[in-house]
Amino acid sequence: MARSQSRNPAGAVTKHDPAKATDDLSKIVRGTDIESEIEERLGDLKAIAPDEGIVPSAASEQDLRRFIKSRVMKRRPYLFLLENGNFRALWKNESFEQVALQFLGGREVQYVIFGRRPDTFVQSSGRDNLGGIERLIDALDSRALIEA
Amino acid sequence: MKGDPVPDGDHVVRYVGGTHIDGGIIHGGAFLAHRTERSPSVNWLECFSGILDEQVEEVRRRTRLHYGATAQLARLQVGVVRAYVAKNGPNGHSIDIVQDPLAADAAMALLADPSQAVMEGVPSADHPEGEMIGDLIAHCIKDVFPARSLIP
């Protein structure tokens, strides 16, 4: 039985696995969809902002983009614009587990994380930098809320 | 009367601007004090007679806020919010919802608003604890109404 093959740009032959290709393609399409959804939502928030007397923070938006870039997400976060101009991203499920991050600018975030362990409701809030919050998300077993 | 608690069995609505709503989800920032507020203000529905829709319409009629086109009014039951925050908040944090009625101001053409109330004990948005309390309050939303009247 013939196997389909393709060449990567460097010239090396790679096996073509149709199932894997489909997975990869769906991830790419989904990722693109999420990115466009995020752009649409940010545009909506900026359009509403004057009506609410809010001036969006460019530094906050930059950190939000930095955080969501280069990760494969299950779905886009809920996005909000706060009175102080900062953006807040929220990932949550129906069990009230959540990761909520207010991007303060300067690579700082204010977070509220709710998680569940078999016998308890875990909650944590505070401030950290973008690197520190990644470690905290892992420590609280909350990464699955964000990433595919 | 000013300072009296709103009964636990009664309901309040909180004005939620459009930037706090995404896909029908309202986050906790909506329940934290605005720059112009000492404490987050709410409106006590049962101080007006009539069915629920009429009570909400009375809140709209007397408001002193500019209600945004995409804004909503989120309804909470007082006792549920107080108990939920006390149970799940940090260090047994408690909040109270007390009456803060506004008198009419003829010079400014403002109606009296006996439904005005405030949520005391809610930290500000600048503190992580405040955002956590706000998010817990958001878990207690019973239902929402368009902020702007549907009556032409």
Side-chain angles (χ1 to χ4, degrees):
Chain A
M1 188 171 115
R3 279 181 188 273
S4 60
Q5 293 182 327
S6 61
R7 285 184 182 276
N8 67 21
V13 177
T14 55
K15 288 180 183 173
H16 176 67
D17 181 338
K20 188 171 183 299
T22 304
D23 280 346
D24 289 345
L25 181 62
S26 66
K27 273 185 185 174
I28 292 165
V29 171
R30 197 165 64 228
T32 304
D33 285 350
I34 290 172
E35 284 171 22
S36 60
E37 286 175 7
I38 288 171
E39 291 305 322
E40 186 179 348
R41 174 61 180 164
L42 290 175
D44 287 346
L45 285 172
K46 290 174 189 173
I48 301 169
D51 196 30
E52 303 282 343
I54 300 172
V55 179
S57 161
S60 177
E61 182 179 347
Q62 187 177 30
D63 280 355
L64 166 65
R65 290 181 183 282
R66 193 172 276 140
F67 184 83
I68 61 180
K69 192 179 176 184
S70 77
R71 72 180 74 225
V72 179
M73 291 182 287
K74 279 183 175 169
R75 62 186 75 83
R76 79 160 175 87
Y78 298 103
L79 292 171
F80 308 99
L81 180 58
L82 310 185
E83 198 174 38
N84 60 10
N86 290 340
F87 290 89
R88 189 175 194 229
L90 169 66
W91 292 264
K92 63 180 288 189
N93 63 20
E94 291 177 352
S95 302
F96 294 126
E97 292 175 289
Q98 72 167 48
V99 174
L101 304 175
Q102 180 189 161
F103 295 91
L104 304 174
R107 295 175 181 259
E108 295 285 322
V109 292
Q110 182 164 294
Y111 61 86
V112 178
I113 300 175
F114 296 142
R116 285 196 189 278
R117 298 266 163 77
D119 56 346
T120 188
F121 182 59
V122 181
Q123 51 181 231
S124 181
S125 65
R127 289 187 175 187
D128 209 331
N129 57 35
L130 289 176
I133 197 64
E134 298 283 0
R135 290 188 287 277
L136 187 63
I137 288 168
D138 283 333
L140 295 173
D141 296 329
S142 296
R143 187 163 297 280
L145 283 171
I146 300 174
E147 297 184 5
Chain B
M1 185 180 291
K2 188 177 176 69
D4 285 353
V6 176
D8 278 350
D10 286 1
H11 300 81
V12 294
V13 287
R14 167 75 172 165
Y15 171 80
V16 178
T19 60
H20 292 296
I21 306 165
D22 185 5
I25 298 294
I26 294 173
H27 79 126
F31 298 96
L32 304 179
H34 299 305
R35 283 173 292 215
T36 55
E37 293 176 317
R38 175 178 54 85
S39 298
S41 63
V42 291
N43 294 93
W44 173 28
L45 290 176
E46 282 82 359
C47 93
F48 299 122
S49 58
I51 62 171
L52 177 59
D53 284 347
E54 292 168 334
Q55 293 169 331
V56 173
E57 189 59 30
E58 198 61 30
V59 168
R60 296 181 183 120
R61 196 171 75 84
R62 293 169 185 269
T63 188
R64 299 179 183 191
L65 298 174
H66 164 71
Y67 280 0
T70 57
Q72 294 183 331
L73 297 172
R75 186 165 74 116
L76 306 163
Q77 185 170 356
V78 173
V80 170
V81 173
R82 294 181 65 241
Y84 189 79
V85 171
K87 180 182 176 188
N88 298 298
N91 306 317
H93 194 98
S94 66
I95 62 171
D96 293 305
I97 301 179
V98 300
Q99 299 172 43
D100 188 25
L102 301 173
D105 185 337
M108 299 290 287
L110 298 172
L111 297 172
D113 189 354
S115 73
Q116 184 77 15
V118 292
M119 294 195 287
E120 293 187 337
V122 179
S124 86
D126 296 331
H127 298 284
E129 196 174 86
E131 283 201 315
M132 176 180 280
I133 299 289
D135 286 338
L136 290 172
I137 294 172
H139 290 177
C140 302
I141 296 171
K142 197 164 182 177
D143 42 26
V144 297
F145 303 83
R148 287 191 181 173
S149 177
L150 301 176
I151 298 172

